[in-house]
Structure formats: structure tokens, C-alpha cells
Amino acid sequence: MKLWLQSKGITYRSLAGQMNQSAGTISKKVNKQLMWTENDLVFLSGRFGLSADFILGLKDSMMREGGELLD
């Protein structure tokens, strides 16, 4: 997630604002100090098309459900 956010120019602060969370909370989630919630996964999937596997760090590639590779 960290590299993906950087590649998209999305700061923790801007993502936090979109998700109604603090930048510190987003930082902890990205750095695996806190777990992403189901609501987080639903938001990130709907907003950015990210898979839960990718968000959770279970898979490196960034694929949409249809198999399309994200840039």
C-alpha cells in the first residue's frame, strides 16, 4: 500500500480525509501496526478498485476483480 500510495501521489493525510480517519491511523494501517477494517476494505475497493489481498499485503500485484492490472 505504501508504494502504491506514493506512486499515485496520495498522502496519508488526504486518504485519511477521504476515509474520515486521522493521518496517524492511516499511517499505522499502512505500516501494519493496525489492521484495516472491513469498512476500510470496502472503501478502498470501491474508490480505487484495490483488492483486499493487495490492501492487506497478501499479494504484491494490484489487480481488479476482472484481472485487469492497475498501474
Side-chain angles (χ1 to χ4, degrees):
M1 276 296 292
K2 184 184 290 191
L3 293 176
W4 182 84
L5 288 168
Q6 289 173 347
S7 75
K8 297 296 183 187
I10 301 171
T11 64
Y12 294 166
R13 182 170 301 209
S14 68
L15 183 60
Q18 293 176 55
M19 297 180 73
N20 296 317
Q21 299 181 30
S22 72
T25 296
I26 296 299
S27 176
K28 287 179 180 178
K29 289 178 179 184
V30 169
N31 290 297
K32 299 181 180 181
Q33 296 170 334
L34 282 177
M35 293 297 298
W36 293 100
T37 67
E38 183 178 348
N39 286 340
D40 295 336
L41 299 176
V42 169
F43 173 85
L44 292 167
S45 176
R47 175 73 170 88
F48 300 109
L50 300 175
S51 71
D53 285 350
F54 175 74
I55 297 163
L56 298 172
L58 302 175
K59 143 168 104 166
D60 290 334
S61 64
M62 299 173 280
M63 301 283 235
R64 293 189 191 273
E65 279 189 30
E68 175 188 349
L69 185 63
L70 298 173
D71 53 18

